[in-house]
Amino acid sequence: MPTIANYRGIIPAISTPFTNDNRIDEPALRKLASWLATHDGIVAVMTNGHTGEVFALDPEERAEVTRIVADELKGKLPVISSVVCEGLTDAAHHAKLAKQAGAVGIDVMPPHHWLRFGFHADHATTYFQNIYDAVGLDLICHVYPAWTRASYSSALLADLARLPYVQAFKVGQRDMSKYARDIKAIRDADATKAILTCHDEYLLASMVQGVDGALVGFASAIPQLIIDLWNAVKAGDLHKAMAVQAKITPIKEAVYGAGEPTGEAHARMKAAMRHAGVIANDHVRPPTHAPSAQELEVIKAALAQAGLLKA
């Protein structure tokens, strides 16, 4: 049986607030998680994604972030934790820590040595099986961009969709042709599996292709706009969807520019969250760079245009 009842909607990959001396800011993280939970349309929250600066966190800190969020959202929303590791033993250990901390689903990022060396399809299926055997929780397949060597073929995605414990796909191909083929492959293999766009930088274009929602870090910053966009897409109201996207686009440009999410983009998103009154401190851990003064002015102008500028 699935450990999460509903993946269809908006799932923020939550940002991790830090103190100026690089500690996890527990009160701020609790406040952010609670605030996200007040938004109708958010169906879960994910910790330890790229937006959460997962690569700046050690294994115990990753578990601590999940513990804080899961404790804060107990009885309100389920919590998913990403696992990003390099081997089977490591992945099982991280998944167990996440489960002990309160996660009820695991987002499985591909091991990052695959980015350099590639992989065989059975490497991926073995990796997923190993994590499931360790914790018995729902798994979410995190699909990396098509240009990387860690990209999954359509055939492999279909195989993963047939696994009973893989309940959802976080799809971020950054190649709209492959995106469409992969969605069809997953649907043909098992139409019950949820497909969630993670294209923060072009939400509307990716939402209209028959997905079930979005699992994006950007929803940590502007959840209501993304919920409004998704509701308009679901209703088939393209004019309203375009109007909402028009509010999102300047903020998207200020945060992501013309590229994909990066560490510096996540720092710019934290700055946007601070100026929108979502968090009080936008500190990022080194070596990620904080936004420049010029970038901050662009961020504030974009928030003002959307009516979100608070400070």
Side-chain angles (χ1 to χ4, degrees):
M1 292 292 293
T3 51
I4 294 177
N6 179 31
Y7 289 94
R8 289 162 172 81
I10 304 303
I11 302 176
I14 194 168
S15 182
T16 304
F18 295 115
T19 60
N20 287 336
D21 58 354
N22 292 316
R23 291 178 294 108
I24 296 166
D25 189 337
E26 179 168 347
L29 182 55
R30 286 182 177 276
K31 184 178 179 181
L32 175 58
S34 287
W35 177 72
L36 290 170
T38 65
H39 293 77
D40 185 21
I42 289 180
V43 296
V45 170
M46 190 182 87
T47 60
N48 298 314
H50 298 127
T51 303
E53 298 176 64
V54 64
F55 296 112
L57 301 171
D58 66 31
E60 289 72 25
E61 287 176 320
R62 296 178 190 186
E64 180 66 2
V65 168
T66 300
R67 182 198 66 77
I68 292 166
V69 175
D71 181 67
E72 187 65 26
L73 297 184
K74 191 180 300 179
K76 299 176 185 176
L77 289 173
V79 174
I80 300 160
S81 175
S82 282
V83 164
V84 51
C85 297
E86 295 302 296
L88 298 181
T89 302
D90 198 25
H93 175 61
H94 280 242
K96 288 175 182 176
L97 289 176
K99 182 178 181 178
Q100 291 165 6
V104 290
I106 300 293
D107 172 70
V108 181
M109 294 191 200
H112 280 201
H113 68 272
W114 293 358
L115 292 166
R116 170 66 176 84
F117 299 108
F119 65 99
H120 296 293
D122 67 298
H123 291 171
T125 53
T126 300
Y127 193 65
F128 275 77
Q129 184 69 55
N130 172 76
I131 293 172
Y132 179 74
D133 288 345
V135 294
L137 299 177
D138 288 1
L139 302 187
I140 297 90
C141 175
H142 193 134
V143 180
Y144 267 31
W147 57 265
T148 71
R149 297 195 71 187
S151 174
Y152 297 151
S153 68
S154 296
L156 175 55
L157 289 171
D159 287 341
L160 292 170
R162 294 185 188 100
L163 297 176
Y165 49 80
V166 175
Q167 296 296 338
F169 290 80
K170 183 181 191 294
V171 285
Q173 289 84 344
R174 270 78 192 183
D175 175 329
M176 300 308 277
S177 178
K178 187 175 190 309
Y179 181 67
R181 292 196 304 272
D182 289 349
I183 290 171
K184 183 178 186 305
I186 294 166
R187 293 288 190 225
D188 288 348
D190 189 338
T192 70
K193 302 302 172 72
I195 301 176
L196 305 166
T197 179
C198 69
H199 293 91
D200 307 62
E201 68 276 29
Y202 36 94
L203 285 166
L204 177 55
S206 61
M207 280 181 173
V208 297
Q209 299 195 50
V211 297
D212 300 300
L215 201 172
V216 287
F218 210 13
S220 205
I222 53 168
Q224 193 59 56
L225 282 175
I226 294 176
I227 291 165
D228 291 346
L229 178 65
W230 174 237
N231 286 340
V233 170
K234 282 195 300 180
D237 190 338
L238 181 58
H239 290 292
K240 183 174 182 179
M242 291 173 67
V244 177
Q245 182 63 55
K247 293 182 179 180
I248 293 172
T249 296
I251 308 171
K252 180 267 293 188
E253 288 293 317
V255 169
Y256 299 111
E260 299 176 19
T262 63
E264 273 62 47
H266 296 139
R268 290 191 293 272
M269 193 180 84
K270 266 188 168 176
M273 292 168 72
R274 177 171 69 86
H275 286 290
V278 176
I279 57 176
N281 189 340
D282 57 5
H283 180 74
V284 290
R285 277 186 172 178
T288 300
H289 298 156
S292 67
Q294 182 179 3
E295 288 173 324
L296 287 175
E297 289 307 311
V298 173
I299 288 166
K300 288 192 284 185
L303 290 170
Q305 184 173 332
L308 296 177
L309 184 63
K310 297 289 197 304

